[in-house]
Amino acid sequence: MDLSAGGFREIVMAHQAMVFSLARRVVIDPGLAEEVAQDVFLELHRRGAEIESGDHLKYWLRRVTMHRAIDQVRKRTGRPDMQGEEFVEEAYTDGATVENWQQLGLASRVESLVESLPDTQRAIVTLRFQEDLDPEEIATLLNMPVPTVKSHLQRAMQLLRRKAAVVLKEYIRD
Amino acid sequence: MIDGETNMKREDDFEEQVREGLRAGEPAAGFADRLMQRIAEEEAAAKRPVVVAMPKPKLRLWQANAQKWAVAAMLLAVAGSGAVVQQKLEQRRAGRAAAEQATQQVMMALQITSNQLQHVNDRINGQ
C-alpha cells in the first residue's frame, strides 16, 4: 500500500465517507464519530504494510471502524446492549398497512429511526444497508454466528417497520 | 386481503427506502487535513530523541557508611571550629574589659595626684 503522504491522502479521501458514516451510525454523535474515524485511519497509517489489496483494505476499514465504534458506545453508555424490543404503540401499527413507503418520504426519516434501534441491531442494519453486506459477511466482520446476525436483522427490520409506521402515520395525521 | 406478491413488493420498497436513507455521507470539511496533521505530529514525536536519565550507581554498604561518616566528621569539624572562634572572641572581650578597667584606675590615680598637688599649692600660696 502506498503510504507516502500523497498516496495515503488519496486512500483517506476514497474511504472517509464510508468510515465516518459507519462510525456515525453506531456512535450517533458526529464529533465522536470523527474521532473514531481519525483513529481508524491513524491505525491504518501505522499498519498499512499489512494490507494486501483493495478488498482487504475495505474489509479492514469496516472491521476496525465497527469494533472501535461499538467499544466507544459501550464505554460511553456503560451498559450492555439493549436486546429487548422497544415499546411501540400497537394501536398505531395495527396491520402496518403502509402502501407506499417512498411516497411518505421514509428515506428522509430512516437515519433517526435507525438511531433509535438497540446498538447491535443498529450496527447490523448499517452494515446491511449502507455497505450492502450479506449476513455471512456481517457475521465475519462482527465475530458473530450467522444465525445471530440474521435474527438481529429480522428483529431490527420488524422494529423499524413498526416505528416507521408510527412516525409516518403521525405525520400524515398532522 | 393482501396477496404474497403485494407483501413482497412492500418489503422491497421498505428496504429500498432504508438503503436510500442510509447512504454514506462525508465527514466535516477538512477531515483529511486534520488527519494528516495528526500523522505529522505523531511522526515528529516519534523522531524526537528520547532523553533517558542516567541511573545513579548503587553504593556498596561500606561506601554508603563512608559517606555518612564523612558527613558526620565534616559537621563535627564545623562545630569544633565554631567553638574555638567563640572562645577567642570571649578572650578578646575579657582582655578589652581589663584594659578599660586599668585605664580607669590610672585616670583615678592621676585625678587624686592632681587634687593633692592642688591642695599643696593652695597651702603654699596661703602662707
Side-chain angles (χ1 to χ4, degrees), chain B residues 3-56:
Chain B
D3 60 26
E5 200 180 326
T6 313
N7 205 23
M8 205 123 94
K9 212 171 163 190
R10 256 187 225 157
E11 295 266 314
D12 289 349
D13 181 36
F14 185 82
E15 291 195 358
E16 200 41 56
Q17 291 300 299
V18 173
R19 191 166 282 115
E20 204 181 309
L22 290 185
R23 276 208 190 118
E26 293 287 335
F31 175 86
D33 293 333
R34 290 190 291 279
L35 176 68
M36 298 313 281
Q37 172 80 22
R38 274 184 75 183
I39 289 171
E41 282 168 9
E42 269 208 355
E43 282 176 346
K47 278 181 193 160
R48 227 170 280 146
V50 180
V51 181
V52 180
M54 285 290 285
K56 283 185 183 175

Side-chain angles (χ1 to χ4, degrees), chain A residues 9 21 34 46 99 101 161, chain B residues 11 13 25 33-34 42:
Chain A
R9 180 183 271 272
S21 298
E34 162 141 353
R46 283 186 217 117
E99 288 298 329
W101 294 103
R161 196 161 291 146
Chain B
E11 295 266 314
D13 181 36
D33 293 333
R34 290 190 291 279
E42 269 208 355

Side-chain angles (χ1 to χ4, degrees), chain A residues 9-52:
Chain A
R9 180 183 271 272
E10 266 177 35
I11 292 170
V12 173
M13 298 300 277
H15 298 285
Q16 63 179 17
M18 174 191 80
V19 171
F20 173 75
S21 298
L22 284 178
R24 161 93 173 72
R25 300 227 153 89
V26 177
V27 302
I28 297 169
D29 172 36
L32 191 56
E34 162 141 353
E35 212 175 286
V36 170
Q38 292 235 349
D39 287 346
V40 170
F41 282 116
L42 270 179
E43 195 174 334
L44 175 68
H45 188 260
R46 283 186 217 117
R47 305 176 58 175
E50 295 168 24
I51 307 296
E52 293 157 5

Side-chain angles (χ1 to χ4, degrees), chain A residues 104-159:
Chain A
L104 293 174
L106 173 65
S108 62
R109 289 158 188 270
V110 163
E111 232 172 27
S112 59
L113 289 172
V114 170
E115 280 177 11
S116 70
L117 289 175
D119 303 338
T120 310
Q121 291 184 10
R122 198 165 67 242
I124 290 171
V125 165
T126 302
L127 287 169
R128 176 78 187 99
F129 293 101
Q130 182 192 304
E131 294 303 305
D132 225 3
L133 299 183
D134 56 39
E136 287 74 18
E137 290 170 309
I138 297 172
T140 314
L141 216 75
L142 298 181
N143 296 332
M144 269 182 191
V146 177
T148 309
V149 170
K150 282 183 176 168
S151 104
H152 273 304
L153 192 57
Q154 199 182 358
R155 283 214 304 269
M157 292 312 282
Q158 281 170 358
L159 195 53

